[in-house]
Amino acid sequence: MEQYSGKLAHWLAFYLCKGIGVKTLIALSQKHELSELFALTNAQLQSLGLTQSQANNLTNTDWHQVEHYQTLIKQQQLTVICYFDDCYPPLLKHIASAPLLLFCLGNVALLTSPQIAIVGSRNATPTGSEIAAEFAHQLSLLGMTITSGMALGIDGSAHKGALAGSGNTIAVLGTGLDITYPKRHKLLTKHVAERGLLVSEFLPGTAANATNFPRRNRIISGLSLGVLIVEAQIKSGSLVTVRYALEQNKEVFAVPGSIKNPLSEASHFLIKQGAKLVENVSDILDEVSFFCENSLYNIEQPIADELDCPVFKSIGFEVTSVDVITQRSQLPIDEVQARLLDLELADKVERVLDGYIRLGGHKYV
């Protein structure tokens, strides 16, 4: 499969190369043809701005591993979209730490369709599930694609609501596309692949891992014009999606609930913070325009300097635990965890068994 500046093998090699992400590749592409970097020596790569570690990793690419994943991709009939491809979704391209590769199964044209994300609790009430399905169905009838994360509860109800008619839905997975998770959604996953689109930034064979799902959430919000939260608690993955949506300058909508329902906490908290209270789809459509001149399409990447981040400054080149990082940075634990994820995605730190270590020497920030 030919891509923008090389074969799929080259993109997989970049994906597998530790320390080289989208920002680095963008900088390199301004100096050299990316597909020709693999023919350069270590010294030549460093002359282009790579660190010794990055150059070593690139020159020691495991081509057998690359071939292995190429075979899996062909066997599973996946489509691979690279950040540098014309068909890469423009809204996603403008988020911080945009994924280099998107592995897709289904109708890839949906990636550039107008989308609303619907997220919420895995332990949704029957009422919450009904509301999520109803909103998804009505929005899909009006031409919106419903994007969610295939989790139990609200996510699953949103996908089902979109599929109830002739609507479109995208499921962003926290696993490889060949891994069914949760198992209970095996049939739903099959239906989404057939009538909608499955998307993942993870290689085939990647199993469910707790650290993958917050990463998935930035893609859910990144693809969408806005995020609708139906039921969730304050400390939940749904709030991670909302945080990314706010950083990406996306609209946030919340369905209110009973004050006696603990799953109404997140919606009520967000409404107090300025999220739009919604009772029907018109409340969403009032805020979301399909036209390019709408400000929702003018997404600005956060400009905060990662190197000045107090969380980053709290991490040494030795293993530093989350508790120590929290103590040093004097920030709330939830904010520390969020920043750690951002730093990890930016290749500034690496997660290890007992905490995090700083990755040194990167010239591209």
Side-chain angles (χ1 to χ4, degrees):
M1 180 190 298
E2 293 292 332
Q3 298 282 359
Y4 170 76
S5 60
K7 296 180 179 180
L8 174 60
H10 293 151
W11 293 123
L12 287 171
F14 285 129
Y15 180 101
L16 293 166
C17 185
K18 195 166 187 61
I20 294 183
V22 169
K23 290 182 182 179
T24 301
L25 290 174
I26 291 174
L28 286 171
S29 68
Q30 297 170 355
K31 300 178 180 180
H32 204 282
E33 189 73 20
L34 293 180
S35 61
E36 297 175 3
L37 292 177
F38 299 99
L40 301 184
T41 65
N42 193 300
Q44 289 172 322
L45 290 171
Q46 290 187 58
S47 71
L48 292 175
L50 291 185
T51 66
Q52 182 177 353
S53 175
Q54 290 171 317
N56 286 339
N57 291 338
L58 199 58
T59 55
N60 290 301
T61 295
D62 186 344
W63 292 106
H64 290 294
Q65 187 182 32
V66 170
E67 184 179 5
H68 166 72
Y69 284 115
Q70 275 191 290
T71 300
L72 291 180
I73 289 166
K74 183 176 181 180
Q75 289 175 344
Q76 297 171 25
Q77 299 181 315
L78 306 183
T79 299
V80 183
I81 297 176
C82 176
Y83 179 91
F84 295 91
D85 290 341
D86 292 336
C87 57
Y88 192 92
L91 288 181
L92 189 62
K93 181 171 284 192
H94 289 90
I95 73 169
S97 304
L100 174 62
L101 298 181
L102 294 174
F103 301 93
C104 305
L105 183 62
N107 182 7
V108 294
L110 294 181
L111 285 173
T112 53
S113 64
Q115 300 167 47
I116 290 292
I118 299 180
V119 297
S121 174
R122 287 174 168 80
N123 301 307
T125 66
T127 299
S129 295
E130 181 182 340
I131 290 172
E134 185 175 339
F135 267 91
H137 181 62
Q138 292 182 9
L139 286 167
S140 67
L141 291 177
L142 295 170
M144 299 295 293
T145 295
I146 304 304
T147 301
S148 197
M150 193 53 80
L152 296 174
I154 297 300
D155 287 21
S157 297
H159 293 306
K160 291 173 185 176
L163 294 174
S166 57
N168 297 317
T169 188
I170 295 175
V172 185
L173 307 186
T175 65
L177 294 184
D178 55 335
I179 305 296
T180 300
Y181 183 85
K183 295 292 186 183
R184 203 182 306 175
H185 277 171
K186 182 176 182 179
L187 185 59
L188 179 59
T189 300
K190 180 176 181 290
H191 286 163
V192 173
E194 292 172 346
R195 296 181 50 196
L197 178 66
L198 299 177
V199 178
S200 177
E201 69 171 320
F202 300 106
L203 290 161
T206 303
N209 185 299
T211 61
N212 292 349
F213 295 98
R215 297 182 60 166
R216 171 206 62 182
N217 292 347
R218 84 191 193 286
I219 298 177
I220 293 175
S221 60
L223 287 170
S224 305
L225 297 172
V227 174
L228 170 65
I229 187 165
V230 179
E231 282 186 338
Q233 293 180 308
I234 293 293
K235 294 183 178 180
S236 67
S238 301
L239 267 293
V240 175
T241 308
V242 169
R243 181 181 66 81
Y244 278 120
L246 293 171
E247 290 185 354
Q248 296 160 5
N249 196 29
K250 305 296 182 70
E251 293 289 338
V252 176
F253 307 99
V255 176
S258 168
I259 60 173
K260 295 184 178 181
N261 180 5
L263 294 179
S264 299
E265 290 177 354
S267 289
H268 293 170
F269 170 78
L270 291 171
I271 291 169
K272 291 176 184 177
Q273 300 301 313
K276 181 164 184 178
L277 184 154
V278 297
E279 298 173 306
N280 51 59
V281 294
S282 63
D283 292 328
I284 296 175
L285 297 178
D286 286 343
E287 300 293 332
V288 176
S289 170
F290 298 168
F291 299 102
C292 293
E293 62 264 30
N294 187 287
S295 62
L296 283 168
Y297 283 88
N298 300 323
I299 309 301
E300 295 187 2
Q301 184 169 320
I303 58 176
D305 190 342
E306 294 154 338
L307 300 183
D308 287 336
C309 171
V311 173
F312 181 75
K313 290 180 177 179
S314 301
I315 304 170
F317 291 100
E318 75 289 349
V319 178
T320 313
S321 71
V322 175
D323 288 340
V324 170
I325 296 170
T326 303
Q327 183 180 14
R328 290 176 179 174
S329 65
Q330 296 295 298
L331 293 173
I333 182 65
D334 57 339
E335 185 172 345
V336 169
Q337 292 174 328
R339 290 305 121 204
L340 284 171
L341 175 60
D342 293 336
L343 291 167
E344 185 179 2
L345 290 169
D347 287 329
K348 302 301 179 188
V349 301
E350 180 180 357
R351 181 195 300 269
V352 293
L353 181 60
D354 296 319
Y356 290 81
I357 58 173
R358 180 186 295 204
L359 297 176
H362 289 311
K363 296 184 181 181
Y364 299 118
V365 296

